[in-house]
Amino acid sequence: MQTCNLLLHADVIVTQNQEREVIYDGAIAVSDGKIAAIGGKAEVGAAWQGAEQLALGAALVMPGLINTHTHMPMSLLRGIADDIPLMEWLTNEIFPREARFSPHMLEVGTLLSCAEMLRTGTTTVCDMYLNEPHIYRSIDKAGMRAVAGEGIFAFPSIGYADPAKALDAAREQAAELKGNARIRYAISPHSVYTTNLDLLEKCASLARELDLPLHVHLAETASETAQSMKLYGCRPVEACRRAGLLTTRTLIAHGVELNEDEIALLAEHGCSVAHNPRSNMKLASGIAPVPQMLAKGLNVSLGTDGAASNNSQNMFAEMSACALLHKVRSMEPTTLPAWQALDMATVNGGKALGWPELGSLSAGSPADLTVLDLTQPNLAPLSSPVSHLAYAASGHEVVMTMVEGKILYAHGKFPSLDYPALRREAQNLHDWLRKQDRP
């Protein structure tokens, strides 16, 4: 009999493996942060003995969810500026307040976002923000996985007083993260309307030089398209194509304003799209043509966007919104079925981040998993586990979240965080921000 660090048993395991296998009365052996074996309880139990055993009983185990687009410190801005159009929201409400963010505020906001995501089953996140070292060091402290990148602008930010130094900052940050098993780096130009073609070209060149992915807001609104036409004489996707920004390692956030030719172009270049349905709905940015993207073979994942525009970072809510939104848009109930929404939140997310071993549970994959309590009334009776995950679960049935074999959330407790102190400090900082006069 082989030994492992942890042997857990559960009534249901949704593997999201290549066969999309659902195992009933299953078991997982975890060793050195990875899944050593997965299968039926009798089979795995006969071959493996765990130093620790967890009999979860009426529980569903699934891969940790992957949030492929957010801005984690913005949890401090939750509820500050609601019900405003995107450009007005950014220019008048968000950018001035973000200019006040201290390193301490960045860290507290990020840790609060980590707690929110772990509480609702997310184990990996893709973040773009300002003064990014404070973000990825906080994510590392919390124990989560991430792809992180400094938001690059053609004007000063709290990350760099001189925009000419933005790429130097990105290079230094990427070097700091080299060799980190859980945190990776992405070159992250903010958008076509906050940069310029020269800067976008330099971002693409740096990503090639350092062999790093690219993460950019693209085709988010009609007003962005109008700005791009004015600045460059072309639509945003074409501006990125001219800059060399469209690659197999490019993740574009939103993709609301894509036409058929642009979808085909993104698919031809092997890009991925992070769909943010709730944020796009709240800001009235529009509805991304996700079914058309999927039909063209584009890899589409899910993201929450920041907590100031969503206002949550709950991937179960995102799954449900995604599936329902596209049914009513097409007026066809077969559009975007439950399994496809679940794929977008798991395996598609791993692919989008260039981390394909994430998002599924199989022997050899990282032990990043989420456990839901099947005794909750909204998950009973159990019919189709995948349907329940997309349509019935709220995220608050999560009773345990694990990354790299370590429990980071369980039954109201965060072993890596002092959550009561964190919540108090986040409230204090939020209240301070609300009291400041706008510049």
Side-chain angles (χ1 to χ4, degrees):
M1 182 174 283
Q2 301 177 78
T3 59
C4 59
N5 302 122
L6 173 67
L7 185 63
L8 61 85
H9 312 127
D11 284 1
V12 182
I13 302 173
V14 176
T15 67
Q16 286 297 96
N17 63 12
Q18 193 169 358
E19 294 76 28
R20 301 300 190 269
E21 183 181 8
V22 176
I23 302 169
Y24 294 90
D25 196 18
I28 301 175
V30 175
S31 194
D32 298 323
K34 293 188 175 182
I35 294 175
I38 183 169
K41 178 180 176 181
E43 168 197 351
V44 176
W48 292 87
Q49 181 172 349
E52 181 182 357
Q53 296 204 32
L54 278 177
L56 299 171
L60 183 152
V61 180
M62 64 177 294
L65 299 171
I66 301 173
N67 183 347
T68 56
H69 181 68
T70 192
H71 314 287
M72 297 180 77
M74 293 182 84
S75 59
L76 293 183
L77 301 175
R78 195 191 319 265
I80 274 183
D82 290 334
D83 310 321
I84 301 170
L86 174 62
M87 291 304 173
E88 180 185 343
W89 175 79
L90 272 176
T91 305
N92 299 336
E93 303 290 344
I94 298 303
F95 286 163
R97 289 187 170 100
E98 287 180 324
R100 301 180 184 277
F101 273 24
S102 67
H104 176 63
M105 295 171 78
L106 295 172
E107 292 160 5
V108 170
T110 300
L111 290 172
L112 181 62
S113 288
C114 288
E116 179 183 4
M117 291 189 208
L118 290 169
R119 174 65 185 86
T120 53
T122 293
T123 53
T124 302
V125 62
C126 184
D127 183 81
M128 177 200 296
Y129 208 61
L130 316 167
N131 217 343
E132 191 69 25
H134 295 284
I135 287 85
Y136 59 65
R137 290 169 194 161
S138 298
I139 296 169
D140 206 15
K141 176 183 176 181
M144 292 180 70
R145 291 189 199 273
V147 173
E150 182 76 32
I152 296 172
F153 301 85
F155 47 81
S157 84
I158 62 173
Y160 41 84
D162 181 358
K165 302 292 186 183
L167 294 176
D168 292 336
R171 185 185 293 274
E172 291 168 8
Q173 292 169 18
E176 180 184 343
L177 287 175
K178 194 170 183 179
N180 190 309
R182 285 188 289 101
I183 315 289
R184 298 181 179 182
Y185 199 76
I187 304 300
S188 304
H190 178 266
S191 63
V192 297
Y193 59 88
T194 56
T195 55
N196 52 57
L197 278 182
D198 178 63
L199 185 52
L200 290 174
E201 288 171 359
K202 288 176 178 176
C203 286
S205 177
L206 184 60
R208 285 193 301 270
E209 177 193 341
L210 300 181
D211 192 25
L212 294 173
L214 286 153
H215 180 201
V216 60
H217 297 88
L218 189 63
E220 187 173 356
T221 63
S223 60
E224 177 190 335
T225 300
Q227 283 181 281
S228 182
M229 293 298 295
K230 184 177 180 180
L231 290 169
Y232 309 115
C234 64
R235 291 168 59 87
V237 172
E238 174 61 16
C240 286
R241 187 199 67 78
R242 293 178 186 178
L245 218 66
L246 305 184
T247 76
T248 57
R249 301 191 69 187
T250 299
L251 174 62
I252 78 163
H254 300 292
V256 170
E257 272 280 302
L258 294 175
N259 61 34
E260 289 186 12
D261 290 342
E262 290 164 342
I263 291 171
L265 183 66
L266 292 173
E268 177 187 331
H269 284 83
C271 302
S272 292
V273 179
H275 178 38
N276 299 257
R278 282 168 52 90
S279 174
N280 293 156
M281 285 191 283
K282 181 169 177 281
L283 292 170
S285 298
I287 302 173
V290 169
Q292 292 89 331
M293 296 182 204
L294 294 170
K296 287 287 186 183
L298 260 176
N299 180 57
V300 185
S301 58
L302 282 177
T304 60
D305 212 352
S309 64
N310 189 312
N311 295 20
S312 81
Q313 295 171 105
N314 179 341
M315 287 289 289
F316 282 96
E318 224 62 41
M319 271 194 285
S320 176
C322 173
L324 299 179
L325 175 64
H326 294 290
K327 294 180 196 308
V328 75
R329 173 67 180 270
S330 66
M331 293 303 290
E332 172 52 64
T334 61
T335 299
L336 234 157
W339 67 265
Q340 206 159 37
L342 181 58
D343 275 7
M344 290 169 68
T346 54
V347 289
N348 291 15
K351 183 178 179 182
L353 299 185
W355 220 333
E357 59 269 39
L358 302 181
S360 65
L361 303 179
S362 58
S365 68
D368 296 5
L369 53 86
T370 292
V371 180
L372 284 77
D373 177 8
L374 288 177
T375 69
Q376 295 302 305
N378 58 309
L379 298 185
L382 182 63
S383 176
S384 164
V386 172
S387 170
H388 275 16
L389 293 175
Y391 298 128
S394 70
H396 292 282
E397 306 82 5
V398 171
V399 290
M400 189 174 81
T401 305
M402 176 186 293
V403 175
E404 208 173 37
K406 297 177 182 175
I407 295 172
L408 301 182
Y409 170 78
H411 302 284
K413 304 291 184 183
F414 298 89
S416 62
L417 301 172
D418 182 351
Y419 178 68
L422 174 64
R423 187 187 64 79
R424 288 192 299 270
E425 182 63 3
Q427 186 66 54
N428 291 338
L429 294 173
H430 175 87
D431 293 345
W432 179 84
L433 277 168
R434 290 182 67 94
K435 290 175 183 176
Q436 305 311 301
D437 292 331
R438 297 174 191 165

